Amino acid sequence: MKCLGAGLTEALIVRGLNKTFAKPAVSDLDLTVHAGELYALLGPNGAGKTTTLRMVAGLTQPDSGEVSIFGVDARKDPAGAKALLAWAPDEAMIYDKLTPLEYLEFVAGLWNIEPGAAKTKAEELLAALGLTDEARRRCEGFSRGMKQKVALAGALIHDPKLLILDEPLTGLDAAAARLVKDMLQARVDAGGTVILTTHILEVAERMADRIGIIAGGRLLAEGTLDELRGKVGEAGGKTLEDVFLQLTAEAVA
Amino acid sequence: MSLPFKPASTPWLLAHELRLSWRGFKAGRKGRGPGAFIAFGVLGAMILVGGVFLGLGVRDVDVPLVPLAVAIADLALAVILTLMLSTTLAGAADALYERNDLDLLFSSPLAPRKVLFARALGMAINAGLWFMVPAVLLLTPSIVLGHWAWSGVFVVLAAAALGASGLGLLLAMALFALIGPRRTRTVAQVLAALIGAAFFLASQFRNLMGEKASESLFARIALDARDGRLTLPPFADWPLRAALGQPVPLLVVVVIGAGIFLVAAQVLGRRFAEAAAATQGAETRKAARGPTRAFAAGAFRATVRKELRLVSRDAALLSQVLLRVLYMLPLAFLLARNAAHMPAWALAGPAAAVTFLAGQVAGSLIWITVSAEDTPDLLAISPTPMSVLRQAKLTAALIPVAALLAIPIAVLAWFAPLAALWTAIGAGLTAWSAGLIGVWRQKPGKRADFRRRRAGSFLAALAELLIAFLIGGATALAVAGWYVWALPPLIVAGAVMMALRRTDEQIAAALRAASV
């Protein structure tokens, strides 16, 4: 089911998205992510990043607004939209009593992947993430970083067209963080689309094709780093951190 | 709220333990509404009214120190002790592995002995209160009306709780030393279930051995007492004498109970701290060997497989199910044995019991497979419809129940096919109704929270119990051949189910409300 007149070059189109809990969490948010780009959504704590991404993933019902994933209306055809995306939050969604292989078998089943292909893909992913030796050990003894890697493998097992990651580098050591960043970059290079939130601005600065800055549930600015620099008045010279702090400070003021 | 004791003192630590226990108890009932507390209040009032009648009835009566009274007192104390020990053993194992505050306490300047003393005393109070509260309600009227010495019962219960706490700790630490940190938790949970069912199994020993049909340990004791053949070992009357307030037996009971507690708390202090530290990462298992299995095809099969794996790896759930299976197996055995040489009506009771317990086992499994989900978001973002996942979870819960029932029903079918058919239908109906209630009244949460909460919805548990009773009764009547009389309980059960029914929209709304 197509909507919003979207072409297939737009991975995600969000229009007029609103969500209020005790107070407004997301207000009239518009967002567009192009296919094949890595989009970083930045914002201070409580800015509405996670709520926005949860609404995109179909985990939280918006009060109003539209979400289209590769042209599929996520509210009218949730199953169709979900088939195209994967969501990995900062707390790994895994079962402590299952092994990584058993977990990947379950996730592949949820997305109805052919069992033979799923097993091969699972073994490849675990090898790429350095988890081959742990593949048949229960996750209960794993470090936070290892659990994050298992969850990432789960997000990739069905080869999603749109990968949404909330703070994907939380709890990872330097080597694991590099591994994950390389995997995400390789995914984008191969034509995949990635949306991530992070508090590590250096990651967004180095990896993101475009950056969105959100505060108080509103999108303050969006664009490439140079475009964002331009928006705060000084072209070049400023780091993303400077731009981010200036924009969010203006929003608070 | 600050605690009214000197910080770091033993009373302060104990008050901290009790505050956490009380909040855990209240949290376990959160969301059940006032129903659970009203039910507790009504039950307490009923016991109190019973106590008043008892007090008036026995106003001028003294308990005779005859063999039957002594045997009853001894058996009651043994049952209470085993149940308390079951609670404290599970509590001691949990205390070793639940890391919420142990690391904090043992990294503080407090002596480990003091920490363990307060925790063990908290366990004793928790285990003792379940018996002390009803005892106080039941016996206070009699005590007020003249039997003041009966307050010895409270002292005996307190001593039993202390002793059980000490024994629970000793047993947990012995397991730790014998089988290591990785297996202790599971074995302790299973052992706690076995101890909890010990008296029932012992009472059924003669039945199982086939010495004389339908004669339990208790029936044997009653018959022997009536015929004057009951002889008891020396000092067997001391628990009764202690409960009746005789000073020397009472002192001995207190010394034994408190002595076990003090020895355990004093001796194990440092070792407990070391054992608790050793549990860190102890649940890491070796990687499985051999070829990997082929992946399951499709969401339904993958979910069934995943749920069966999780059930088989959940020690707390297994011990809960094991307890019910332990109650069911002797009855199933009795059912099959009687079928060989007894008329149909003699099979009615065991058939009803098997039906009832099948529903209870199914209820435990369904409650946790349907409601306990560690990754609800993963299921929610998948394109698989929730109805498919729900059916898979129900199937996974019912597979072990079917496997458990298969053997006794097959044996029964050999001797009494019709009774087997009715028992299978009854057990299937109770399991199915437990499944529907589990789906309609699900309360989402994580598995670890369910272990702490121990129980589900109060209303759901009550309804499950009532329906299992009704279908069990209908099964008994059908097995006895009184088919028409089997209909009314089935109709009532159906009406209760209709009253509990929720549509998919209502379930979704309840889940949304619970997640806010």
Side-chain angles (χ1 to χ4, degrees), chain A:
Chain A
M1 191 175 290
K2 300 283 178 66
C3 75
L4 300 170
L8 289 181
T9 52
E10 277 110 28
L12 172 70
I13 300 173
V14 169
R15 291 288 175 265
L17 205 60
N18 284 287
K19 183 70 190 177
T20 299
F21 296 111
K23 57 178 186 173
V26 174
S27 301
D28 211 17
L29 187 81
D30 291 345
L31 203 66
T32 302
V33 177
H34 306 305
E37 74 175 358
L38 195 152
Y39 186 96
L41 189 61
L42 310 180
N45 291 331
K49 306 183 294 291
T50 301
T51 304
T52 300
L53 295 187
R54 285 182 68 84
M55 287 192 282
V56 170
L59 293 171
T60 298
Q61 284 295 313
D63 295 336
S64 61
E66 289 182 62
V67 175
S68 163
I69 295 164
F70 285 98
V72 178
D73 188 326
R75 296 189 78 177
K76 290 182 181 154
D77 182 11
K82 286 172 180 178
L84 300 171
L85 64 83
W87 154 261
D90 55 345
E91 284 291 330
M93 298 190 295
I94 63 167
Y95 298 89
D96 280 350
K97 296 283 180 190
L98 294 185
T99 68
L101 261 184
E102 290 168 349
Y103 172 73
L104 294 179
E105 176 188 4
F106 174 59
V107 180
L110 290 178
W111 265 265
N112 207 16
I113 310 295
E114 193 277 315
K119 193 176 175 205
T120 307
K121 176 88 176 174
E123 285 164 350
E124 284 170 9
L125 281 169
L126 293 176
L129 287 162
L131 288 172
T132 301
D133 290 343
E134 317 297 332
R136 299 177 68 192
R137 200 185 293 274
R138 291 188 201 169
C139 297
E140 58 199 348
F142 286 9
S143 67
R144 185 185 165 106
M146 286 163 76
K147 288 181 180 179
Q148 283 288 81
K149 287 201 269 185
V150 175
L152 182 62
L156 296 174
I157 187 96
H158 60 97
D159 220 358
K161 291 179 81 174
L162 174 61
L163 177 59
I164 303 173
L165 304 154
D166 193 7
E167 295 289 347
L169 304 178
T170 305
L172 297 183
D173 60 25
R178 166 63 72 87
L179 188 65
V180 169
K181 284 189 280 187
D182 288 349
M183 279 188 81
L184 296 181
Q185 195 59 60
R187 188 151 192 89
V188 173
D189 292 344
T193 309
V194 175
I195 303 175
L196 61 83
T197 71
T198 181
H199 285 296
I200 310 170
L201 299 183
E202 178 262 340
V203 170
E205 191 167 352
R206 285 180 54 188
M207 292 182 69
D209 297 306
R210 288 194 309 132
I211 296 163
I213 297 178
I214 184 173
R218 293 177 184 280
L219 190 67
L220 303 178
E222 186 185 44
T224 62
L225 181 55
D226 285 339
E227 286 168 350
L228 290 177
R229 284 184 184 129
K231 281 180 185 162
V232 296
E234 287 181 45
K238 281 202 164 189
T239 64
L240 177 60
E241 186 179 40
D242 298 327
V243 173
F244 174 82
L245 290 174
Q246 188 173 336
L247 280 170
T248 51
E250 282 169 9
V252 171

Side-chain angles (χ1 to χ4, degrees), chain B residues 351 355-356 358-359 420-433 471-472 474-475:
Chain B
T355 302
F356 175 79
L421 177 69
W422 290 124
T423 308
I425 291 173
L429 273 177
T430 48
W432 180 66
S433 58
I471 300 177
T475 306

Side-chain angles (χ1 to χ4, degrees), chain B residues 231-249:
Chain B
T231 50
L232 296 164
F235 304 110
D237 56 348
W238 279 42
L240 180 59
R241 288 179 187 277
L244 294 175
Q246 291 187 12
V248 175

